[in-house]
Structures are given as C-alpha cells and as structure tokens.
Amino acid sequence: QVQLVESGGGSVQAGGSLRLSCEAHVHGYTYSSNYIGWFRQAPGKEREGVAGIFGSGRSTDYADSVKGRFTISQDNAKSTVYLQMNSLKPEDTAMYYCAAANSPRPWWFQYAYIYWGQGTQVTVSS
C-alpha cells in the first residue's frame, strides 16, 4: 500500500505562487518507475488533471489551462513530487490531489490511478 501525502496548499492573492508537495510514505517506493499526476477538484466541478510526470522528469504533461504557469518536478531521493504554481488565478481555486499510476493512457484519465492522497486546499482570491 502506498500512502501519498500532499502539503503546501494555502490562500494567496491572484498573481501569487504556491508550491505543492506530494510525498510517498512507503519505504522503497520508486517514483521514477511510476507516473505521478496532480489533479484538482473545485466545488461543483469534475476532478481534472493538472500535470503529470514520469521517469524523473523525462516526460511531463500539463493541462492547457496551466501551461506556462505550473511546473511539475520530482526529487527521487526524497520520494517527493512538486507542483510549482505561479501566476495563480481565482479559477485555480480547488482541492489538489496527487496520485500514482503505472501507465495512464491518457495521462489525465483519473480512473487509471491506483493511489491517491487526501488533498490540499488551494484558494486564490482576486
């Protein structure tokens, strides 16, 4: 069983930045051989894929809505995946989750993800 723990959420004003972390709390879990995705869900909306990473950054994917503003990265030594979020907008307000999958096709297909964290709230005010 893999436990994923998110942190780093909070409240910021539009234009601000936050860095989310997703740490795997299981000995020996190898991020580099799994696909890690960040998802978000706003109240009353479907959960959507935000960004994903595979193979220590050999492959990254982003939703069109966050391209150029968000950056996903990975530190295998710390078993942690980061989501750097810049130029935040009120529409980025949501609960953010990280999840792990073997080979999701497409990367944003949430039902391919096996392990999920509990989420961290991001609130962006205008």
Side-chain angles (χ1 to χ4, degrees):
Q1 184 72 19
V2 176
Q3 182 183 16
L4 302 177
V5 179
E6 302 97 334
S7 61
S11 297
V12 296
Q13 290 192 327
S17 298
L18 284 172
R19 189 178 79 157
L20 306 184
S21 299
C22 172
E23 184 177 0
H25 285 197
V26 59
H27 178 69
Y29 184 72
T30 306
Y31 263 154
S32 62
S33 60
N34 291 275
Y35 196 96
I36 307 299
W38 280 99
F39 292 78
R40 66 185 181 187
Q41 187 168 21
K45 294 189 176 182
E46 295 286 325
R47 187 160 55 186
E48 62 176 352
V50 175
I53 189 167
F54 176 77
S56 300
R58 290 200 305 271
S59 174
T60 57
D61 297 284
Y62 295 93
D64 287 342
S65 58
V66 306
K67 281 181 181 176
R69 300 189 298 123
F70 291 10
T71 303
I72 190 170
S73 61
Q74 185 171 313
D75 185 336
N76 288 329
K78 297 181 179 179
S79 295
T80 301
V81 170
Y82 303 99
L83 184 68
Q84 178 67 44
M85 306 187 297
N86 299 328
S87 302
L88 283 163
K89 305 175 180 179
E91 51 263 44
D92 295 318
T93 295
M95 183 72 79
Y96 282 70
Y97 302 89
C98 67
N102 290 326
S103 56
R105 295 284 188 275
W107 70 270
W108 43 260
F109 186 61
Q110 60 176 307
Y111 301 105
Y113 287 78
I114 302 170
Y115 303 109
W116 289 83
Q118 293 300 307
T120 184
Q121 178 68 38
V122 171
T123 303
V124 184
S125 57
S126 58

